[in-house]
Amino acid sequence: MAAKGKTVPLTGNYAIAEAMRQINPDVVAAYPITPQTSIVETFSKFANDGRVDTEIVRVESEHSAMSACVGASMAGARAMTATCSAGLALMYEIVGVASGLRCPIVMPVANRAISAPINIHCDHSDSMGARDLGWIQIYNETAQEAYENVFLALKLAEHPDIQLPVMVCEDGFITSHCVQNVRIYDDAVMKKFAGERKPIHSLLDLKEPISVGAIELQDYFFETKRQQQDAMEKVPKVYLEVAEELSKITGNKYGFFEEYKMKDAEAVIVTMSSAAGTTRAVVDKMRNEGKKVGLLKIRLFRPFPYEEVARALSKAKNVAVLDRSMSFGAHAPLYGEIRNALYEMEKKPGLQSYVFGLGGRDLLESHVRQAFNDMLTGKVSREKRYLGLREASE
Amino acid sequence: MGKDMIEIRIHGRGGQGAKSASQLIVEAAMDQGRQIQAFPEYGPERTGAPMKTYARISDKPIETYEPVLEPDIVLVIDPTLIGQVDVTNGMKGDGILIVNTTESSSEIKKKTGFTGKVYTVDATGISIGLLGRNLPNTPVIGALIKVTGVIDIKYVEKRVEGMFLKKIGREKTQANIDAIKKAYEEVKE
Amino acid sequence: MKAEKFPTEKQTVKKQGWKDIPEGGIITRAASAKMNKTGSWRAFRPVIDESKCINCAMCVLNCPDNAIPFRDGKRGPVNLDYCKGCGICASVCPVKCIKMEEETKFRK
């Protein structure tokens, strides 16, 4: 069923709150943190106005927010929260509990730098730091994409083969606070798509009682973790199924990544979130100048689609990977994954790492152009490069 | 930058409503069927600190998230920013500068060194007269409409109602609309 | 997710593979704690001098394993399947009628 909906001027955060309103989760437990705050603030307004039936749990910290969500989720409820940066860091312990207990919690993250120095602006160090905690991670470029992917995340998380939590990431301030055209699809259609959660087990089910959170030591812990890997490996198939279902409503595509002008591209930039928009604008301009450039925008970062990415990059001459976070003493997170993906290819493209935009530093079109020009002229090396960084005092 | 996209930068001080102004502009533009983008340059978010917000209006989807570096139009909500902040930074010769001030455009040209078109409007005076408070952010939109025609006043009126009616009631909302109209009439080159 | 067949105590020696256990480490059976016979951990055994006991139930209330029954106003014998021999009962007994004796004495 296609849903027309209506176009409204919304920020990324408001668009996410709209998705949550249509989903009408049973429980939302959250603690405010800039720049996530307006998601929960807006959603609380919906609850106060009686537009959702959600039980809002006002907690004293993010650790408690995730704890409340885990409890609710194990009781069979559809539970959501939202956070970023220090908030995500504070809930870290329970983030692992949520995935370990197989709670299908959906959590929007308005990506923000990890202190110190203290900074409220965007980079991906918060969710990248949590990339090995067993959550599915989807990165979003626009408010529209974030809105739609909350639904995709929900159905993916709750699928009986998956039962894993999902982070729906948007760039803090850049997307979270940017007013854009957003198409909000009809309530009835989206509510039907979201449906009701059908928990496999529930703490409140007296006929089939369960215990959760029991200790597992050397005897069973390893097996339980192996199951999480199994579920992650099942994600791509289910992701595509849910994507197809959602696509019928929206008409949009939801691949693991987006390929833009990649067919004959010699120089390719791989990046995520809002940087992909700026890169696409530069691709258009450079294509007008006759340059063979393209963009690979990664949406699904966990699980990482290694084989598909390798195929997509197989024709490129040189590939620049633009990371909005660092892994100190190691390859930047996205660059490392791309490098992994290319390992088994016989003819590998040249690969170059660029880090940009830490702590909200603007990514300018001139930076993107510089990376493309490096790739077009074969300036590829193993050095770590930085875009928009002051090498010397001005 | 192709002219299928109009880029606007608004200079104000924290608390003066520069963010609401950019939002009103793009909301009205969206109602006219355009693609839009509005975002502030968030700093430490202090009342009174100089800040700027950006707006883009286009007929094609807006992809870039780069801040507006070469604005076609600049609005200055607070006249005291002139001389303190480089309000014409990145502007081309055919750019349009609209300033809330009681000074003349030639005086502004002298102060800024800007050679393009300069328009002035006493948005503060209009605001104090009609709203009883210094809220120059809505009247400057009236000047923008008159000078650039980038948005239509009737769509702005509708959006002002949407933004204010519930919060401040019919009378004060109408005062805001009147202020926009007065600035529309009074803005001069 | 598969329904779990809970192993009996003897079967727990044979451990299940990752495909056969419930996901998330949940336990899909009620009162499964009963299967964990913590009495096997015991190094000291509480021995009650019935002639001194005043039926105050302090030991009953304080036993962390609920291993001392109390029915119809009377304390019953310690359930040695679950008594870990922690000695709390002996410690809280107001008339000192419980003595912790070495388990080895009973296992000859």
Side-chain angles (χ1 to χ4, degrees):
Chain A
M1 176 169 31
K4 253 183 72 203
K6 62 170 193 217
T7 301
V8 277
L10 296 182
T11 62
N13 277 357
Y14 203 106
I16 286 171
E18 278 286 316
M20 290 170 70
R21 179 185 64 73
Q22 291 178 321
I23 288 167
N24 193 9
D26 301 303
V27 172
V28 167
Y31 193 81
I33 181 164
T34 302
Q36 154 267 28
T37 306
S38 49
I39 299 175
V40 184
E41 193 178 270
T42 307
F43 184 78
S44 301
K45 222 174 276 171
F46 293 148
N48 189 55
D49 295 346
R51 299 179 71 191
V52 290
D53 316 308
T54 306
E55 177 85 31
I56 292 195
V57 188
R58 279 169 296 182
V59 286
E60 73 278 31
S61 77
E62 285 84 357
H63 189 278
S64 305
M66 187 50 73
S67 299
C69 284
V70 166
S73 189
M74 293 314 299
R78 189 172 262 179
M80 294 181 79
T81 182
T83 194
C84 65
S85 185
L88 180 56
L90 184 54
M91 66 165 63
Y92 199 86
E93 178 189 5
I94 317 299
V95 173
V97 172
S99 56
L101 289 177
R102 309 296 293 277
C103 300
I105 296 165
V106 173
M107 175 165 74
V109 175
N111 282 120
R112 163 181 155 182
I114 288 280
S115 302
I118 195 160
N119 179 296
I120 57 168
H121 291 283
C122 176
D123 68 40
H124 296 170
S125 51
D126 50 1
S127 57
M128 281 301 162
R131 68 192 188 268
D132 289 338
L133 283 183
W135 284 55
I136 296 164
Q137 289 189 339
I138 304 172
Y139 287 80
N140 298 281
E141 175 191 335
T142 62
Q144 183 73 44
E145 206 173 30
Y147 162 72
E148 291 174 15
N149 275 336
V150 172
F151 289 94
L152 196 154
L154 180 80
K155 295 300 283 280
L156 181 58
E158 292 180 0
H159 191 283
D161 290 347
I162 307 299
Q163 302 285 310
L164 287 173
V166 188
M167 290 182 203
V168 180
C169 304
E170 55 163 353
D171 279 352
F173 284 118
I174 302 168
T175 309
S176 72
H177 284 60
C178 178
V179 180
Q180 305 174 2
N181 306 60
V182 180
R183 182 159 287 267
I184 299 293
Y185 303 107
D186 299 338
D187 277 9
V189 177
M190 296 320 284
K191 279 175 187 296
K192 196 177 160 217
F193 178 84
E196 291 270 321
R197 183 182 167 203
K198 294 183 189 73
I200 293 167
H201 299 285
S202 159
L203 277 172
L204 299 181
D205 185 348
L206 297 180
K207 283 188 194 129
E208 287 181 43
I210 55 165
S211 307
V212 303
I215 193 168
E216 286 181 1
L217 300 175
Q218 297 93 328
D219 52 356
Y220 275 101
F221 183 86
F222 200 175
E223 281 69 26
T224 300
K225 292 291 130 183
R226 175 65 183 85
Q227 288 181 329
Q228 276 178 250
Q229 181 74 339
D230 187 53
M232 270 291 184
E233 284 166 4
K234 286 174 179 158
V235 167
K237 183 173 167 278
V238 178
Y239 178 98
L240 292 176
E241 284 167 16
V242 177
E244 203 187 318
E245 198 190 334
L246 186 58
S247 188
K248 279 178 196 152
I249 297 172
T250 67
N252 295 330
K253 297 254 180 292
Y254 309 89
F256 307 142
F257 45 78
E258 178 199 319
E259 294 172 81
Y260 187 69
K261 306 213 168 155
M262 285 281 288
K263 260 189 191 149
D264 61 341
E266 290 169 6
V268 172
I269 283 180
V270 183
T271 193
M272 304 198 293
S273 299
S274 70
T278 307
T279 303
R280 197 183 297 102
V282 175
V283 168
D284 283 343
K285 287 174 188 172
M286 292 183 75
R287 281 275 172 181
N288 282 339
E289 298 157 16
K291 310 263 171 60
K292 288 186 174 171
V293 293
L295 160 71
L296 187 79
K297 176 181 91 175
I298 303 289
R299 288 198 187 93
L300 187 64
F301 187 78
R302 280 291 178 274
F304 196 83
Y306 292 99
E307 285 170 35
E308 294 84 353
V309 164
R311 265 201 300 281
L313 294 175
S314 61
K315 285 184 216 144
K317 261 193 200 145
N318 292 311
V319 176
V321 184
L322 272 56
D323 271 274
R324 203 166 199 135
S325 63
M326 290 198 227
S327 179
F328 302 104
H331 292 311
L334 181 58
Y335 172 77
E337 300 301 3
I338 300 297
R339 211 175 150 88
N340 275 346
L342 300 182
Y343 180 76
E344 280 163 17
M345 285 171 69
E346 272 177 30
K347 200 174 146 279
K348 298 178 184 61
L351 193 63
Q352 176 63 49
S353 168
Y354 293 88
V355 168
F356 72 97
L358 297 198
R361 177 68 51 86
D362 287 324
L363 177 71
L364 304 183
E365 291 186 7
S366 58
H367 298 144
V368 177
R369 200 174 259 277
Q370 184 192 326
F372 270 135
N373 283 334
D374 286 352
M375 294 306 101
L376 286 168
T377 52
K379 284 195 195 108
V380 176
S381 75
R382 293 180 70 173
E383 67 170 343
K384 291 181 171 65
R385 291 186 195 152
Y386 303 90
L387 296 169
L389 173 77
R390 272 189 312 280
E391 289 292 345
S393 305
E394 282 171 357
Chain B
M1 173 90 24
K3 276 302 111 179
D4 44 42
M5 177 143 73
I6 292 162
E7 298 186 293
I8 303 171
R9 187 172 67 213
I10 304 176
H11 291 274
R13 292 183 182 278
Q16 287 179 334
K19 195 182 149 206
S20 307
S22 65
Q23 194 157 339
L24 264 175
I25 292 165
V26 297
E27 284 183 356
M30 198 211 74
D31 292 344
Q32 291 173 244
R34 316 286 302 269
Q35 296 288 320
I36 52 125
Q37 196 185 58
F39 57 104
E41 186 184 274
Y42 283 95
E45 299 185 65
R46 293 184 309 251
T47 299
M51 56 90 71
K52 48 195 168 182
T53 72
Y54 307 110
R56 287 191 173 100
I57 299 170
S58 173
D59 288 327
K60 291 183 189 157
I62 299 164
E63 311 281 4
T64 192
Y65 282 93
E66 184 180 69
V68 170
L69 301 175
E70 295 179 353
D72 303 296
I73 303 162
V74 169
L75 299 176
V76 181
I77 291 180
D78 191 311
T80 64
L81 289 170
I82 290 184
Q84 245 188 56
V85 176
D86 184 5
V87 296
T88 59
N89 187 28
M91 285 185 86
K92 296 276 168 64
D94 59 353
I96 294 170
L97 177 65
I98 301 170
V99 185
N100 164 28
T101 179
T102 50
E103 292 183 314
S104 71
S105 56
S106 57
E107 280 172 296
I108 298 297
K109 276 188 185 178
K110 213 184 291 167
K111 281 186 180 170
T112 58
F114 183 59
T115 54
K117 286 192 169 162
V118 178
Y119 297 85
T120 61
V121 63
D122 182 15
T124 296
I126 292 170
S127 171
I128 289 170
L130 287 169
L131 308 171
R133 289 172 66 193
N134 182 18
L135 294 167
N137 61 330
T138 38
V140 290
I141 296 172
L144 171 82
I145 297 166
K146 175 74 170 288
V147 171
T148 68
V150 64
I151 40 172
D152 192 314
I153 195 157
K154 67 172 193 274
Y155 290 96
V156 176
E157 265 183 56
K158 236 182 74 192
R159 280 292 172 178
V160 169
E161 281 181 358
M163 198 180 263
F164 293 124
L165 205 52
K166 252 187 170 172
K167 276 190 214 158
I168 59 175
R170 164 57 60 193
E171 201 182 319
K172 283 182 185 166
T173 303
Q174 191 54 49
N176 270 286
I177 292 170
D178 292 345
I180 290 173
K181 285 180 173 165
K182 194 151 195 264
Y184 181 92
E185 297 302 332
E186 289 183 5
V187 64
K188 56 184 188 291
E189 193 170 352
Chain C
M1 220 182 269
K2 279 176 194 149
E4 180 195 24
K5 267 194 205 145
F6 212 92
T8 64
E9 194 183 12
K10 270 183 189 163
Q11 282 170 336
T12 52
V13 183
K14 260 193 184 171
K15 292 196 176 78
Q16 291 167 292
W18 67 269
K19 291 172 194 161
D20 299 324
I21 55 173
E23 280 154 25
I26 66 164
I27 296 165
T28 53
R29 205 184 100 149
S32 58
K34 258 189 165 173
M35 297 197 32
N36 192 3
K37 297 211 168 155
T38 47
S40 63
W41 306 2
R42 194 173 54 246
F44 290 89
R45 177 182 292 200
V47 176
I48 304 174
D49 183 345
E50 298 287 349
S51 67
K52 285 190 192 162
C53 173
I54 57 170
N55 258 321
C56 69
M58 281 295 278
C59 58
V60 175
L61 294 170
N62 282 281
C63 176
D65 283 286
N66 285 333
I68 308 175
F70 195 78
R71 273 192 204 100
D72 304 325
K74 262 192 82 84
R75 175 194 54 75
V78 176
N79 184 339
L80 294 173
D81 275 351
Y82 299 104
C83 168
K84 290 182 196 129
C86 69
I88 289 174
C89 53
S91 172
V92 298
C93 177
V95 294
K96 300 290 165 213
C97 76
I98 306 178
K99 218 174 126 195
M100 300 305 292
E101 294 190 18
E102 274 181 50
E103 187 66 24
T104 46
K105 285 210 300 198
F106 304 93
R107 301 232 169 159
K108 272 168 191 165

